[in-house]
Amino acid sequence: MNSSVQRHSLALAGLFLLTIYGCGGGGGGAATSAKPVAEPGPPAPVATASLGALSFSSAGNWFVQSFTSSAAQNTPDASNNIRYVERRSNSTTSGATTIANWNKGGSPARQADLHFTGIAWENCGLNGENLASVRDAAGSSTSNYCNSLSTSSSKRTTSDVEGQTMASVLTTIRAADYANLSVGDNSASTLNALLGGTTFPAGSTVSVQDLTALTTAPAYYPGIGNFVLQSDPLVAAGRTDPTIMTAPCASASPPPATEASNLEALIAANPGTPCVNSPILTGPISGVTGPRNESWGATSLSLGVIGVAPIGGIPATYYTTNRLIRVAFANSSARYFTCQQRSTDGSARNCDLIGTGTYTIATLGDARVMSFSSLPTAAAPLSFNRVFVERGAKIYFGYQDKLASSSTVQLNLTASNALLSQLGMPALTPETPLALTASSYAGVWDV
């Protein structure tokens, strides 16, 4: 357990009353006439759920992530595994209230993502079951999520919050640096206005779950907007002399980019040759390029973006504060760059070489996947490693999540439904499968 996770766990343990289950001691003395009593069997499985994430703005604007198991799913199989389902729901109000239900990813469209299971490319279907080993006495378990999209180990510590006010429990959670449960701005005035002095009912618990990823699989979104484009060879050749304004990369109508169909052609089309333009040194701040005015987007590929500054609209400056991590190819090696980002369209500008590495192409099922090694330190903040997936004569921007540890606080079914009811939100119903709504149909699906 890393120090951050340990600090969080200890903070909660010190503020909540931990529920400890143990065996009572017996008195001395012989009882020769006592009849033998059959030991009770294990309790019958029941439906359970935990609230993994909550973002509440109002009764019509919220997001919920939960993990549910019906009584049947909580019945261990021959390998001592139980099953659980991840559920996500989002409500927005723009005139009428619209609710979307799905199971994985930040939006319904990303439920269409495909990953390699080790045998084939599959997606995480609605109400798809995940496997987890029955927790041992220390609260430890291992999990196989979405047929090997990821595997992980976890440890859970549970605290009893019966009779404590909802506002005080949420305040304690936030004070311990957990951000996965959020109600409004989380201020005392907001929590008191929404929750008042309402207390959690009997059977309510809060759990700290510390999770460590063990494996992750390559994945991609199969939608049209995720195709990798490839520039015309003349454009990809770039231009290093800003006084020559007749090269294709400087023309008013350069040859258009086309959809890349194989990785070898994509490598050849991205040598990292910039289109060097004359700098713009005077004028409005949003039009001043500084001493360099180089366009790199046509001859390099994105590995990710560091930062969350918006693009588009009327920018205040020519560049955003984001940094782009990109790759180009030369002499069978991968060349890594950090670049500025133009505010108007997000394009890559003024790239600098920050390292070199290698790339490999592996055949996974009916696809070919390019991955990279010796990635630069500048890419460390990214939560994923970029892969490029060639499948069906198209190439997609893909990803493979990095191995990482996380710590969250989760409410059990009793506490979750008490809180959701107080906020005017739908209850968690683990025995009822999640149903699609009109807004759940999004993205592009391979059938």
Side-chain angles (χ1 to χ4, degrees):
M1 183 183 297
N2 62 44
S3 60
S4 175
V5 168
Q6 187 176 36
R7 183 182 72 253
H8 293 170
S9 300
L10 290 173
L12 281 186
L15 291 168
F16 291 133
L17 174 63
L18 284 177
T19 301
I20 302 175
Y21 299 93
C23 296
T32 56
S33 61
K35 296 181 179 180
V37 178
E39 290 292 331
V46 297
T48 58
S50 60
L51 186 63
L54 170 66
S55 179
F56 176 88
S57 297
S58 67
N61 295 276
W62 46 260
F63 166 77
V64 165
Q65 176 200 34
S66 63
F67 303 94
T68 68
S69 296
S70 66
Q73 290 167 333
N74 267 330
T75 303
D77 61 17
S79 300
N80 204 36
N81 289 323
I82 60 173
R83 293 158 290 161
Y84 69 94
V85 176
E86 181 183 9
R87 303 184 182 193
R88 295 171 181 247
S89 296
N90 185 69
S91 175
T92 57
T93 302
S94 179
T97 298
T98 301
I99 295 179
N101 297 322
W102 73 103
N103 70 298
K104 176 197 170 290
S107 67
R110 300 311 297 269
Q111 188 172 271
D113 282 19
L114 298 164
H115 70 278
F116 188 64
T117 67
I119 300 174
W121 292 86
E122 297 181 0
N123 73 325
C124 301
L126 187 74
N127 294 309
E129 294 182 332
N130 310 289
L131 291 178
S133 64
V134 174
R135 292 192 180 276
D136 62 19
S140 299
S141 174
T142 57
S143 174
N144 183 326
Y145 175 70
C146 191
N147 195 7
S148 299
L149 174 59
S150 66
T151 62
S152 61
S153 63
S154 67
K155 185 172 183 179
R156 179 179 293 174
T157 305
T158 300
S159 305
D160 184 352
V161 292
E162 175 185 344
Q164 298 184 39
T165 66
M166 295 178 179
S168 68
V169 170
L170 292 175
T171 298
T172 299
I173 289 171
R174 299 294 296 195
D177 293 335
Y178 293 95
N180 58 301
L181 301 180
S182 179
V183 176
D185 61 4
N186 302 299
S187 66
S189 59
T190 296
L191 293 177
N192 288 330
L194 292 171
L195 305 174
T198 305
T199 60
F200 281 110
S204 296
T205 64
V206 172
S207 297
V208 176
Q209 177 151 301
D210 302 325
L211 182 145
T212 300
L214 302 175
T215 64
T216 61
Y220 72 97
Y221 170 61
I224 294 172
N226 197 40
F227 295 157
V228 180
L229 301 180
Q230 172 176 308
S231 296
D232 181 274
L234 291 176
V235 177
R239 185 190 71 244
T240 57
D241 185 350
T243 65
I244 301 174
M245 302 303 292
T246 58
C249 65
S251 66
S253 300
T258 57
E259 295 173 5
S261 60
N262 68 82
L263 291 169
E264 286 75 16
L266 188 69
I267 291 168
N270 287 277
T273 306
C275 183
V276 179
N277 302 296
S278 299
I280 302 171
L281 302 177
T282 61
I285 294 177
S286 60
V288 173
T289 65
R292 298 172 66 186
N293 187 12
E294 303 168 5
S295 175
W296 286 73
T299 62
S300 63
L301 298 169
S302 174
L303 296 183
V305 179
I306 309 295
V308 294
I311 61 173
I314 302 176
T317 58
Y318 194 85
Y319 305 112
T320 71
T321 56
N322 299 332
R323 299 298 295 180
L324 310 184
I325 309 299
R326 298 183 72 85
V327 65
F329 305 93
N331 301 321
S332 300
S333 66
R335 303 168 66 220
Y336 304 123
F337 298 85
T338 180
C339 315
Q340 291 180 282
Q341 182 186 50
R342 189 161 71 174
S343 297
T344 53
D345 59 6
S347 61
R349 316 288 290 192
N350 307 334
C351 296
D352 294 312
L353 183 68
I354 56 172
T356 59
T358 59
Y359 62 87
T360 57
I361 298 175
T363 299
L364 302 181
D366 61 353
R368 300 170 71 220
V369 177
M370 176 191 286
S371 57
F372 301 91
S373 65
S374 302
L375 289 162
T377 302
L382 296 172
S383 63
F384 64 92
N385 290 322
R386 172 69 71 212
V387 298
F388 292 98
V389 180
E390 176 190 326
R391 191 168 184 234
K394 297 186 183 299
I395 298 179
Y396 302 88
F397 287 98
Y399 59 92
Q400 186 164 5
D401 289 335
K402 294 180 179 179
L403 299 181
S405 297
S406 62
S407 184
T408 59
V409 167
Q410 300 180 2
L411 304 180
N412 73 344
L413 179 60
T414 299
S416 297
N417 282 343
L419 176 61
L420 296 177
S421 175
Q422 184 66 24
L423 295 174
M425 297 172 57
L428 304 182
T429 55
E431 292 287 0
T432 304
L434 194 64
L436 290 171
T437 64
S439 299
S440 302
Y441 293 92
V444 176
W445 297 75
D446 279 354
V447 178

